[in-house]
Amino acid sequence: MTPAPNDLIDTVAAIGREVAHQHANSVDTEARFPKETLAALKHAGALGAAVPKEFGGPGCNIVELTQMTQALSEHCAASGMVLAMHHIQVASIANHLGGSSELGDYLGRVASEQRLIASATSEIGPSGDMRRSECAVTPTGDDFEVTKQATTISYGQHADDLLLTARRNADAAPNDQVAVLALQGSYIIEIKGVWNTLGMRGTCSPGGEVRVSGAPWQIMSQPFGDIATETMVPYSHITWAGCWLGIATDAVNKARKSVREAARKQAGQTPPAALNLAATMEKLIRLRAEVYGAAREQDHLAQADRPALSSLGYALRINSLKLSASTQVPEIITDALRIIGIRAYKNDSEYALGRHLRDAHSAALMVNNDRLRATNASLLLVHKGN
């Protein structure tokens, strides 16, 4: 049976507490994929969360997907980020089927088989600009081929299928792109380099060469520019922010526990750190409001005013969410570290925040903040609204 969204959110939260939490340190230390957590998510049916009801999924909206991401990330940010990236790929297909019955059937397989979809949108040359591609779709009789030099392939060696970008054909401009679904068994990844990073070590996303072959239906008919504008970019910024919110929430919870512990030792007195905790909690509450406010707006516009998703004003707002969240999270965790003190600085302490802080610093680099600010600066030159 397909789980109801609220039940699925509760189940993912339980997986976070009971599975992801247990393995988070080894996932980080060994820079290994969180296989135990992903196995539990598959068993629970969580990988089908974004699949619409008509294709056998629960049809979770962006608010619900973000809640799952946050709940998991409170215990293991790498696990939460993998889940977020998967949700983004599924939603990008589900929201832009273009009437393809084959893609609809594929979504049914995602729900029934719990297939994990990885992302390969970055490329050597355009680097972090996913709106430009060097590689191109090449016809081979009735089928096609693509060879892509990807700078990162999100958990690609651990996924079932891939969603990648390429130019529509060899004569197309770099920004005339399509999204291509690569099915297990029809692509080869030749990894180049290792994934030895400061944080988000369990996402296991080194770059490499991807060689894909497939049938025409695997090339999505809607232009990738529309997919990116209406779904991939906003879903990325919102669910990623949910992941970062999860990291910050756990850090503040550790700080609260530390202050309460100090208060019990000094009955009748308010520990000095309590004032700093109150100030940090204000930041966390503001961040939570930003994240879920953006999620609710995305859900509303997708249902009631889809053209607004392509407006300059919405692009500015959704980019600003990413910039704001990625800036606030390291600050909140640093505040929590100061509140707790030396115990948060020790890696072998129950209050340790080193992994949290390292994971949080990835936020400014996932679609580099300077690139987004440059985009917003250009948009502001022509946008006449607020």
Side-chain angles (χ1 to χ4, degrees):
M1 294 180 63
T2 302
N6 286 340
D7 292 338
L8 199 50
I9 293 167
D10 291 341
T11 299
V12 172
I15 291 171
R17 293 189 302 270
E18 298 166 11
V19 183
H21 181 83
Q22 178 184 350
H23 299 283
N25 284 334
S26 69
V27 164
D28 175 66
T29 302
E30 301 168 26
R32 68 171 181 84
F33 189 69
K35 58 184 181 180
E36 299 88 354
T37 302
L38 265 294
L41 291 171
K42 288 185 176 185
H43 182 74
L47 298 191
V51 174
K53 292 180 180 178
E54 58 264 39
F55 302 115
C60 294
N61 60 36
I62 183 62
V63 177
E64 293 157 341
L65 298 177
T66 304
Q67 288 174 315
M68 292 178 208
T69 301
Q70 179 192 339
L72 196 57
S73 300
E74 288 180 22
H75 302 277
C76 176
S79 297
M81 185 56 71
V82 170
L83 183 61
M85 292 294 291
H86 169 78
H87 286 332
I88 295 161
Q89 312 318 306
V90 177
S92 295
I93 297 171
N95 294 347
H96 302 274
L97 289 174
S100 170
S101 60
E102 292 94 341
L103 285 174
D105 291 341
Y106 172 74
L107 288 174
R109 291 183 61 197
V110 172
S112 63
E113 300 173 19
Q114 292 294 290
R115 302 182 70 81
L116 179 64
I117 311 176
S119 168
T121 55
S122 61
E123 188 174 4
I124 294 174
S127 188
D129 186 358
M130 73 173 183
R131 299 297 187 99
R132 298 172 64 85
S133 291
E134 294 284 341
C135 65
V137 173
T138 302
T140 57
D142 294 332
D143 297 322
F144 73 89
E145 291 180 350
V146 176
T147 299
K148 180 166 188 166
Q149 307 296 331
T151 54
T152 58
I153 308 168
S154 302
Y155 52 89
Q157 290 178 293
H158 306 275
D160 298 302
D161 307 316
L162 301 177
L163 192 65
L164 56 89
T165 49
R167 288 184 293 142
R168 187 176 300 278
N169 54 57
D171 297 323
N175 62 353
D176 183 6
Q177 299 167 286
V178 290
V180 178
L181 176 64
L183 300 177
Q184 189 177 53
S186 66
Y187 66 86
I188 297 172
I189 298 176
E190 182 182 341
I191 293 297
K192 298 181 180 179
V194 296
W195 187 251
N196 186 10
T197 53
L198 180 70
M200 289 292 180
R201 292 168 58 78
T203 56
C204 300
S205 303
E209 181 178 272
V210 184
R211 298 188 293 276
V212 181
S213 60
W217 70 265
Q218 294 168 234
I219 304 171
M220 295 182 66
S221 61
Q222 292 196 11
F224 178 70
D226 294 344
I227 297 171
T229 297
E230 295 180 13
T231 300
M232 188 171 283
V233 170
Y235 270 62
S236 295
H237 292 344
I238 293 168
T239 58
W240 291 353
C243 174
W244 305 329
L245 174 61
I247 305 171
T249 299
D250 189 52
V252 174
N253 285 342
K254 287 177 183 286
R256 292 175 69 181
K257 182 179 177 181
S258 174
V259 171
R260 287 171 175 169
E261 184 181 88
R264 286 194 296 270
K265 295 177 181 178
Q266 302 173 17
Q269 299 182 43
T270 300
L275 293 178
N276 292 332
L277 175 62
T280 302
M281 181 59 72
E282 293 171 19
K283 296 180 183 180
L284 183 67
I285 291 171
R286 286 197 297 270
L287 175 59
R288 185 181 298 121
E290 285 184 42
V291 172
Y292 286 105
R296 287 189 290 271
E297 182 180 14
Q298 170 73 19
D299 188 46
H300 169 73
L301 294 179
Q303 296 184 54
D305 189 10
R306 189 157 180 165
L309 293 173
S310 300
S311 68
L312 296 182
Y314 188 64
L316 281 164
R317 290 197 298 279
I318 206 67
N319 287 347
S320 295
L321 167 70
K322 193 274 177 181
L323 291 166
S324 177
S326 63
T327 301
Q328 289 182 70
V329 170
E331 293 178 358
I332 292 172
I333 297 169
T334 300
D335 287 349
L337 189 150
R338 290 170 178 160
I339 291 166
I340 298 169
I342 190 63
R343 291 181 297 176
Y345 198 68
K346 292 181 176 180
N347 287 327
D348 59 351
S349 165
E350 65 174 309
Y351 291 98
L353 290 178
R355 171 165 53 85
H356 298 65
L357 192 57
R358 287 185 288 104
D359 286 344
H361 277 293
S362 70
L365 308 178
M366 294 179 63
V367 184
N368 192 285
N369 280 2
D370 288 343
R371 183 191 296 275
L372 274 186
R373 288 196 176 95
T375 299
N376 278 2
S378 298
L379 293 176
L380 285 168
L381 294 178
V382 295
H383 178 55
K384 296 181 174 60
N386 295 320

